[in-house]
Amino acid sequence: MNVEFSPELEAFRREVAEFFATAPTPAIREAGRKTTSVFAPFDQCMAWHQILYQKGWAAPHWPKEYGGTGWSVEQRFIFAEEYRKADLPPLLPQSLGMVGPLLIDLGTEEQKAKYLPPILKGEDFWAQGYSEPGSGSDLASLSCRAEADGDDYIINGSKIWTTYAHHANRMFMLVRTSTDGKKQAGITFLLLDRMDYPGMEVRPIYGLDGFPEQCEVFFDNVRVPQSGRVGEENQGWSVAKHLLKHERGGGNAASPTLMRYLERAREAAGQTPSPFGGMLADDPVFQRDFGELEADVISLSHLEKLAISGHEIARDPAFPSMNKTINSELIQRASVMMSRVSGVGGLARQLEALRVGSNVEPQGSEFDLITMPLYLNSRATTIYAGSNEVQRDLIARSLAAGA
Ligand SMILES: Cc1cc2nc3c(=O)[nH]c(=O)nc-3n(C[C@H](O)[C@H](O)[C@H](O)COP(=O)(O)OP(=O)(O)OC[C@H]3O[C@@H](n4cnc5c(N)ncnc54)[C@H](O)[C@@H]3O)c2cc1C
């Protein structure tokens, strides 16, 4: 792949940078700078999604016929780079990156017509109801039950760690429709049109960083239409796994975000005195550690460019697990590097100053404000979307099968 950009691509870069410099509102910019998770502040994130939709840029990774941009690999990468340079809030992954691509691949024509346009426009936001208490890594053991009743299912049970369920207006979920045979054989994939069905209750969970990002969702005789089923009854395990490929493989590259974290760390290190004299950025030990991390991020960036260019590596069954493992560990390492630069400056708990629109002045710099919540939040990157221990198992099994 050519890494020297042509004049046309440089013109495209200027067009994107110009749009990013003018289109976002001040609140959207503030939300981007204060994002300390994969999940940006909800209201500003959805407002920005709608602006991108108006421009035709909400879903660069979708096929053009469904509203994608039809950009080349280079254009997609340039877009992602400029996006992060402008510190804009990342769009939420569950709708555009998971259920949208799943429906494009496996949905019926009715489901596509009903659900894809509001996802693209940023009118709908979907929560992911997979995990249950006791069924995380061993997801196929899930027990939230759906019993057929006429044209409906009646759901009883609960889900946990459902990210942003308190903001969602729709939810995709796995339910148990049979206990006969293998546990994988009795699972069904359902689309729920509402989060306020009678008998459905969403309770937020506060994370280590002090924010309610995940939720518990309870179902007490919740009646939902069977028309929301994707695939056949009891065949939902293969649908669920197909979605996980999108979740782990990633329609969006992680390396531009990592590069931006490193840039911010490097800038801050240039203004932070080292205990050994001079600035931290000039300290040889710091430079060595920073350089190692930067080299690993650059390697990931090459891997991601190969993947979005359709290189055969992305078709390797182990690729989604490999990609997830590498980028989740790099996010954690970047957050450690940022905390190292902030030092005690990052220790103050400043939840109010972090709120978008707050009039509370942060103690220290904006960099200090975000480092500790980012560090705490990123402890979860090696757990969600399937823990890294389990991903390593999957990689090993895939290699053994191919040997
Ligand atoms: C921030 C966050 C957001 C999340 N968002 C969502 C969401 O939106 N929707 C959703 O459905 N779920 C979500 N999850 C749940 C997530 O998918 C699970 O937490 C994850 O799959 C691990 O399951 P568990 O928490 O039950 O841990 P367990 O499965 O109990 O694992 C505990 C430990 O044992 C290890 N372990 C388990 N099995 C094996 C094995 N076979 N080999 C080696 N080690 C093993 C694990 O690696 C882990 O260290 C989220 C989780 C987090 C933390």
Side-chain angles (χ1 to χ4, degrees), residues 39 94 127-139 159-164 213-214 247 377 380-390 393 397:
F39 308 103
Q94 292 94 323
Q128 178 186 27
Y130 273 27
S131 307
E132 295 178 10
S135 300
S137 303
D138 184 14
L139 183 59
K159 295 286 167 182
I160 195 167
W161 310 123
T162 324
T163 301
Y164 274 11
E213 201 176 76
Q214 278 66 50
E247 182 175 2
N377 189 285
T381 61
T382 49
I383 302 171
Y384 59 64
S387 78
N388 284 19
E389 291 79 8
V390 170
D393 260 4
R397 265 192 258 161

Side-chain angles (χ1 to χ4, degrees), residues 269 274-294 333 336-337 340-341:
S274 160
F276 305 108
M279 290 295 156
L280 188 56
D282 306 319
D283 179 272
V285 176
F286 177 81
Q287 285 180 347
R288 180 201 61 197
D289 294 350
F290 193 93
E292 272 177 16
L293 177 56
E294 195 173 28
R333 283 172 60 195
V336 171
M337 182 59 71
R340 183 166 158 185
V341 175

